[in-house]
Amino acid sequence: MSYQAKKSSLRKVKTDAIDAYLLCVLYYNGEPHKIRGIQLLDLRNLSRQQEVITNMYVEAKL
């Protein structure tokens, strides 16, 4: 992921501060070539809700 982003950059000078900033932007924005669909986000939400409900069930049973 970061290797592809580095290749797409036109900057050839090595600067750690700029590299760290670009990695942060890449991390928070996600990969530019991946587009997450609504279905994937809904599935992620449902799995998180299922985990919370399962944990609540286990705590109630104990």
Side-chain angles (χ1 to χ4, degrees), residues 1-2 5 19-32 34 36 41 44:
M1 175 171 81
S2 60
D19 289 341
Y21 174 77
L22 290 176
L23 283 174
C24 289
V25 168
L26 185 65
Y27 175 77
Y28 283 108
N29 292 338
E31 294 183 36
K34 273 192 179 176
R36 296 192 172 117
L41 294 175
R44 185 181 298 164

Side-chain angles (χ1 to χ4, degrees), residues 1-32:
M1 175 171 81
S2 60
Y3 178 73
Q4 290 174 346
K6 183 180 176 189
K7 281 179 25 180
S8 68
S9 176
L10 296 176
R11 181 183 61 81
K12 299 295 181 193
V13 178
K14 175 81 171 119
T15 307
D16 290 338
I18 293 174
D19 289 341
Y21 174 77
L22 290 176
L23 283 174
C24 289
V25 168
L26 185 65
Y27 175 77
Y28 283 108
N29 292 338
E31 294 183 36

